[in-house]
Amino acid sequence: MTLGEAFTIRLNELLKERNISLHKFLKESCIARSTIVNIMKGNTKCPTLAIIYQVADGFGITPLEFLDNEVFKRDDLEYI
């Protein structure tokens, strides 16, 4: 699994927990839609730390809270 796939799983998990659409989240957090869509489609396999910070901030959590999830602890996680 790529880091981008893990990122997408975590993002979708948080959206579902908060009952918010991706569109609304991106609009409220001022994150470029194309950036997230490229990650979700697999065009970007490794999201930058800046994106992780922006997404975490959009959810009102720290980057460590965003990354503190089983999906990022998998043995088969590809960081490149």
Side-chain angles (χ1 to χ4, degrees):
M1 171 182 291
T2 67
L3 188 55
E5 290 168 332
F7 175 92
T8 300
I9 289 168
R10 180 68 169 136
L11 174 63
N12 285 325
E13 179 182 89
L14 290 167
L15 291 170
K16 186 176 179 180
E17 283 177 10
R18 288 162 171 76
N19 195 29
I20 185 172
S21 71
L22 178 62
H23 175 76
K24 183 175 180 180
F25 171 74
L26 294 175
K27 186 175 180 182
E28 290 177 359
S29 59
C30 299
I31 299 171
R33 182 181 183 280
S34 61
T35 299
I36 300 301
V37 168
N38 279 327
I39 296 168
M40 295 177 90
K41 286 185 174 182
N43 298 332
T44 302
K45 296 191 186 321
C46 190
T48 65
L49 188 55
I51 294 301
I52 292 170
Y53 266 81
Q54 288 177 325
V55 169
D57 187 56
F59 283 115
I61 62 176
T62 68
L64 289 177
E65 289 172 308
F66 181 84
L67 295 169
D68 187 22
N69 186 276
E70 290 302 314
V71 73
F72 294 109
K73 299 173 185 175
R74 294 173 52 125
D75 291 334
D76 66 340
L77 191 61
E78 298 173 16
Y79 300 110
I80 299 173

